[in-house]
Amino acid sequence: MDDTAARPKSLKFKEPVIDVAFSPTTNLVASSLITGHVFVHKYDVGSNQRQVRGKPHKKSCRSLCFSGDGSLLYTASKDRSWQAMDVETGAETTRIDAAHEKPLNLIKYVNEQIVATGDEAGCVKLWDVRQKKQAFSYSEHVDYVSDMVFHAPKRHLLATSGDGCLSVYDVRKAKPFQVSANQDDELLSVAVIRGGSKVVVGETDGVMGIFSYGQFGDVTDRFPGHPQSIDSICKLTEDLCVTGSSDGLLRIVQFFPHKLIGVAGDHQALPVEKVVLSYDQQWLASCSHDHTVHFWDIGYIYADEDEDDEASEAAEQKYTNESKEDHELDAQAVAIRISRDVDSDDEEDESEVDIDGCSDAGELRTSEETHPEETHPEETQTDVAQPDKPSLDAGADSEEVDIEDNSESESDNGWGSWGGSSDDEAKAAKPKKKRRKGEELADKRKARVELARPTQSHKRKTERKAFFAGL
């Protein structure tokens, strides 16, 4: 609380102020007095101007509120009447006398069609503004109605009473929606918070009871901390409220987690009757027994929230950018790794492998395919001893090795015909085959796979040694 901050001047009256209300659309504030007078002022930091002064009720005007568009001002009185006043002209537009059997305590704007009123005996009534007659009447409470709030998303009207109960009414139905158990203390004020998921009530012992919306049987949480009764609750945000207490302090309270944030105003130990928030969320107005309506700066709460929101958005944007950069770096690393693997594969494909006297893996495969006798060394010796006997397998392999030669050609110097030459001479005289690049790569890859199998490679090496040893 900063007493030196620039703010509208306090409104001073000759009689005690019972209620105060801000216009929802412009910088107008209305005040009701114990004498039945009603005032409407235009407030500003520089000066305040009185717009309307009237006495619509013979007895004290206990409650007032603006319509949704701010064009009408509704008032309720101890004389059991309520009326609607044009804000610009001060003229009366609607008046209902003897609206209740008992003096009215409260009037609440619901929507453009309905106004709610509550009296000292606990009766709550809904009025059709267009037809100017009663719509529904509820008698769930046995003591005075202390406060009401309308929750538009559910079309529920919530009311607290001196009998210690919270009642909930669907404004479209004639029967109450739900009534809570007795809280063993008077309920003086009510507000809907946390996006409509919680309802907080103020009690005379300074405890704030918290209901979970839809579970109105009993409170689900309690927040003590006020030394005296909580006569008024004004919602600031979904997590913050301002409370007006009998000790004269306006406290800023946070919920979930519950804690007292600070003090917004001080009425010097005089009980606070009402505290309300301006339409632009810049000012609080409160009234007490000092015949004065005070203004308090509360805009810093929303400035801090805006800064927090901007900081949160900046942090989220930074995290998003960092995540994006990390993904890009990961993608680059993967691309580099793949490129290196491809280059390594190309280098391995271009390099020559010397395996048991073969110039490359392609020749190794050709040599193995053209020597079917490797797996049968005893049969190979028989074939060598009878060179004139043709070999069907050798002929087939000859077609694969040299695609230009025919298996029936007598001048074949490859492995398909032994021709009386030695094995070394046959290898030396073997023509070089022009192989396609794809076939060569396939052969090389197969050779690398074979090299990765040391057991099979060792077995084949042993068999080759046995074969050449038998020649």
Side-chain angles (χ1 to χ4, degrees):
M1 179 180 65
D2 187 3
D3 293 333
T4 63
R7 54 181 177 175
K9 293 182 179 179
S10 300
L11 302 175
K12 295 184 179 181
F13 301 93
K14 295 181 180 180
E15 300 294 336
V17 182
I18 299 179
D19 199 8
V20 62
F22 275 116
S23 169
T25 58
T26 186
N27 57 332
L28 293 177
V29 59
S31 309
S32 64
L33 306 185
I34 196 172
T35 58
H37 286 86
V38 174
F39 292 86
V40 177
H41 288 82
K42 186 175 183 179
Y43 60 91
D44 198 356
V45 174
S47 62
N48 300 321
Q49 299 178 358
R50 189 174 68 189
Q51 302 292 312
V52 175
R53 179 185 183 276
K55 189 179 180 182
H57 302 286
K58 298 178 181 179
K59 297 183 178 181
S60 63
C61 183
R62 292 180 172 179
S63 178
L64 51 74
C65 63
F66 282 89
S67 62
D69 58 4
S71 62
L72 297 177
L73 179 65
Y74 296 97
T75 61
S77 173
K78 184 181 178 180
D79 61 9
R80 300 189 299 144
S81 68
W82 68 268
Q83 64 112 33
M85 174 193 302
D86 188 282
V87 173
E88 291 185 359
T89 63
E92 180 183 289
T93 61
T94 303
R95 185 176 184 87
I96 304 294
D97 291 319
H100 287 246
E101 295 180 359
K102 299 294 182 178
L104 273 66
N105 257 8
L106 196 65
I107 188 167
K108 188 70 176 181
Y109 174 81
V110 175
N111 53 42
E112 63 277 1
Q113 301 176 4
I114 300 174
V115 170
T117 56
D119 64 22
E120 289 182 350
C123 179
V124 175
K125 291 187 178 183
L126 301 181
W127 300 89
D128 189 328
V129 176
R130 296 173 299 179
Q131 299 183 8
K132 299 181 181 180
K133 67 178 183 179
Q134 175 183 310
F136 300 114
S137 178
Y138 310 97
S139 300
E140 308 306 319
H141 297 290
V142 296
D143 206 343
Y144 67 96
V145 178
S146 57
D147 196 8
M148 289 191 292
V149 63
F150 180 63
H151 185 49
K154 297 289 187 179
R155 295 188 181 182
H156 284 170
L157 179 68
L158 295 87
T160 53
S161 172
D163 62 6
C165 296
L166 170 71
S167 58
V168 183
Y169 308 98
D170 189 328
V171 297
R172 300 164 295 181
K173 299 180 180 180
K175 294 183 178 181
F177 177 75
Q178 198 169 355
V179 180
S180 75
N182 194 300
Q183 300 301 306
D184 299 326
D185 199 1
E186 296 182 13
L187 304 185
L188 304 177
S189 50
V190 61
V192 180
I193 60 173
R194 301 285 290 179
S197 63
K198 300 292 181 179
V199 177
V200 58
V201 295
E203 304 178 8
T204 55
D205 60 359
V207 175
M208 304 188 78
I210 301 174
F211 292 86
S212 294
Y213 205 97
Q215 302 175 9
F216 298 109
D218 201 355
V219 294
T220 57
D221 199 359
R222 294 171 64 85
F223 178 27
H226 292 72
Q228 298 182 32
S229 63
I230 304 170
D231 299 323
S232 180
I233 298 177
C234 176
K235 176 181 174 181
L236 298 180
T237 68
E238 297 300 333
D239 299 320
L240 295 178
C241 289
V242 172
T243 60
S245 181
S246 295
D247 62 356
L249 293 180
L250 303 179
R251 293 176 175 85
I252 303 174
V253 181
Q254 176 180 312
F255 297 95
F256 302 99
H258 309 331
K259 60 182 178 180
L260 297 174
I261 300 298
V263 176
D266 187 2
H267 282 267
Q268 304 298 324
L270 294 176
V272 178
E273 294 290 338
K274 191 67 173 291
V275 55
V276 290
L277 177 67
S278 65
Y279 78 102
D280 57 359
Q281 300 178 334
Q282 183 64 39
W283 311 107
L284 290 175
S286 59
C287 59
S288 182
H289 294 176
D290 55 0
H291 303 186
T292 305
V293 173
H294 293 278
F295 294 92
W296 316 95
D297 184 10
I298 200 65
Y300 62 90
I301 293 291
Y302 300 94
D304 293 342
E305 285 210 342
D306 292 340
E307 292 178 359
D308 293 340
D309 292 341
E310 292 177 359
S312 300
E313 291 177 0
E316 183 177 356
Q317 184 65 29
K318 181 179 179 181
Y319 175 77
T320 303
N321 294 336
E322 290 178 353
S323 300
K324 185 176 180 181
E325 292 177 358
D326 292 341
H327 287 308
E328 291 178 353
L329 292 175
D330 291 343
Q332 293 177 2
V334 171
I336 293 172
R337 190 180 299 112
I338 293 174
S339 177
R340 289 178 177 176
D341 292 343
V342 171
D343 294 340
S344 177
D345 290 342
D346 293 341
E347 291 177 359
E348 290 180 359
D349 291 343
E350 294 175 359
S351 64
E352 293 185 354
V353 182
D354 188 9
I355 304 175
D356 295 336
C358 299
S359 60
D360 58 15
E363 291 186 6
L364 173 63
R365 178 178 177 273
T366 305
S367 176
E368 291 178 357
E369 290 179 351
T370 55
H371 285 77
E373 297 83 1
E374 289 179 0
T375 58
H376 304 285
E378 297 179 356
E379 296 179 1
T380 304
Q381 293 180 3
T382 306
D383 292 339
V384 173
Q386 300 176 0
D388 294 337
K389 184 177 180 179
S391 174
L392 296 176
D393 294 338
D397 290 343
S398 177
E399 288 181 355
E400 293 181 10
V401 175
D402 191 356
I403 60 176
E404 295 181 356
D405 294 341
N406 195 296
S407 60
E408 297 179 357
S409 175
E410 296 180 357
S411 60
D412 186 8
N413 294 323
W415 286 101
S417 175
W418 292 88
S421 61
S422 65
D423 182 68
D424 293 336
E425 291 176 354
K427 289 175 61 177
K430 182 180 66 172
K432 293 292 183 179
K433 170 191 170 183
K434 296 181 180 179
R435 301 175 61 84
R436 295 181 181 179
K437 185 176 180 180
E439 295 176 353
E440 293 178 355
L441 291 177
D443 294 341
K444 292 176 182 179
R445 291 192 182 96
K446 184 175 180 180
R448 286 199 298 272
V449 172
E450 296 297 336
L451 287 174
R453 302 174 182 175
T455 303
Q456 297 180 3
S457 177
H458 179 72
K459 180 179 179 181
R460 292 176 181 174
K461 184 175 181 181
T462 304
E463 292 176 349
R464 281 198 298 274
K465 288 183 177 179
F467 170 75
F468 286 108
L471 295 177

